[in-house]
Amino acid sequence: MEDDGAVTVYSGSAITDTKKNPFSIKVGIAQMLRGGAIAEVTTIDQAKIAESAGACCIVVSDPKGPGISRMPDPSLIKEIKQAVTIIPVVAKARVGHFVEAQILEAIGVDYIDENEILALADEDNFVNKHNFRVPFVCGCRDLGEALRRVREGAAMIRTQGDLSGTGDIVETVRNVRKVMGDIRILSNMDDDEVFTFSKKIGAPYDIVAQTKQMGRLPVVHFASGGIVTPADAALMMQLGCDGVFVGSDIFNCSDPYKKVRAIVQAVRNFNDPHILATASSGLEEAMGGLNVNENRVERFVNAETY
């Protein structure tokens, strides 16, 4: 299992129930999504489009509306699972809501996303993901947060950016660069310095040492937030991510298949500018949008002024 990057963090029976999948197996399952695009869907039609366009996985979420955001309706998940038989299905649960996770596992989802974008169920505690057979996806904004989620049993990490759905990728780039930058710093440290570094970022020493040895996160690493064009997706891949999440807003256009397909092609060919140019052509609806706000421009100008 070490050959594909799935490294066993836990091996003791005190943590891993023999009736459940060991952590290394969950990490190995998540490895199959590397190099792909995961699309968020809210309807059966969107799920079928994502599948036909080549998405490696779909995330089922409830349509946005007023009130508290919760896990999707189990009946919707079952209908989508019946409609798409080729690709895995992910469903969201609120942070710390282990009962929602139990329900999602019972209805047969392939992955559970303990998603901070939904309303929090527990402000202090995340789900103990070692109690489940299903691999978990968790978000992070820095290396310490990522490795804490791995300790809890996350088999995939999603570096989260913009939560507002405006298509602004700057926060995603900032967080991905911070995670990758800290990993490069860690990789060049003396072994004696790792103890202090792990304390500084608030992460378990053994997983920090494992990250140093591997030169990357010990689990699959995707990016999420503000990714709406093929160029955005390729940018995340060139920064070192294993894949991308795209929101359901990608389906709000006249030809959603073409847009999803273009992002899938960009992820698969992120180092080929000629293919990226072809994939980006004819996507006017995806290429336009909001400009950065005045406060951000002012901060950028001030930072560049010496």
Side-chain angles (χ1 to χ4, degrees), residues 212-291:
K212 169 179 165 58
Q213 181 183 18
M214 297 178 67
R216 54 157 294 140
L217 290 180
V219 299
V220 177
H221 180 202
F222 274 51
S224 175
I227 300 169
V228 295
T229 70
D232 293 340
L235 174 62
M236 294 296 99
M237 298 299 290
Q238 291 194 29
L239 288 176
C241 293
D242 297 317
V244 300
F245 283 79
V246 290
S248 59
D249 294 340
I250 198 171
F251 294 97
N252 298 332
C253 65
S254 60
D255 192 352
Y257 171 85
K258 183 177 181 180
K259 191 186 294 187
V260 177
R261 183 64 182 171
I263 290 180
V264 169
Q265 290 296 324
V267 171
R268 294 175 179 174
N269 303 279
F270 62 90
N271 273 326
D272 191 328
H274 298 290
I275 294 180
L276 295 177
T278 301
S280 300
S281 301
L283 299 177
E284 294 84 359
E285 292 172 308
M287 306 305 283
L290 300 174
N291 292 320

Side-chain angles (χ1 to χ4, degrees), residues 76-236:
L76 174 64
I77 298 173
K78 291 179 180 179
E79 291 173 357
I80 289 179
K81 279 183 63 65
Q82 292 175 353
V84 294
T85 58
I86 299 176
I87 59 177
V89 174
V90 183
K92 296 180 181 180
R94 283 177 281 178
V95 169
H97 206 312
F98 53 84
V99 175
E100 284 189 349
Q102 291 169 358
I103 293 171
L104 294 175
E105 182 177 60
I107 63 177
V109 299
D110 300 290
Y111 300 85
I112 296 174
D113 187 342
E114 189 176 11
N115 199 289
E116 69 278 7
I117 300 177
L118 305 181
L120 300 181
D122 192 327
E123 294 179 334
D124 301 315
N125 304 290
F126 281 73
V127 173
N128 180 0
K129 290 160 272 290
H130 295 286
N131 289 335
F132 295 82
R133 291 178 289 101
V134 178
F136 271 72
V137 182
C138 285
C140 79
R141 293 177 182 272
D142 55 54
L143 181 60
E145 188 176 7
L147 298 185
R148 289 193 295 273
R149 301 291 84 80
V150 173
R151 166 59 85 204
E152 295 162 359
M156 176 191 289
I157 292 298
R158 165 180 40 78
T159 296
Q160 184 65 53
D162 176 52
L163 302 178
S164 62
T166 60
D168 190 354
I169 202 173
V170 66
E171 190 173 348
T172 313
V173 172
R174 181 192 308 126
N175 294 339
V176 169
R177 282 194 178 277
K178 180 171 176 56
V179 170
M180 297 302 183
D182 285 346
I183 291 176
R184 286 192 293 271
I185 292 172
L186 174 62
S187 298
N188 292 316
M189 281 184 177
D190 185 272
D191 289 341
D192 295 337
E193 299 174 318
V194 178
F195 293 97
T196 301
F197 183 78
S198 63
K199 183 178 180 180
K200 178 181 177 181
I201 66 174
Y205 167 78
D206 58 336
I207 303 185
V208 174
Q210 183 181 17
T211 303
K212 169 179 165 58
Q213 181 183 18
M214 297 178 67
R216 54 157 294 140
L217 290 180
V219 299
V220 177
H221 180 202
F222 274 51
S224 175
I227 300 169
V228 295
T229 70
D232 293 340
L235 174 62
M236 294 296 99

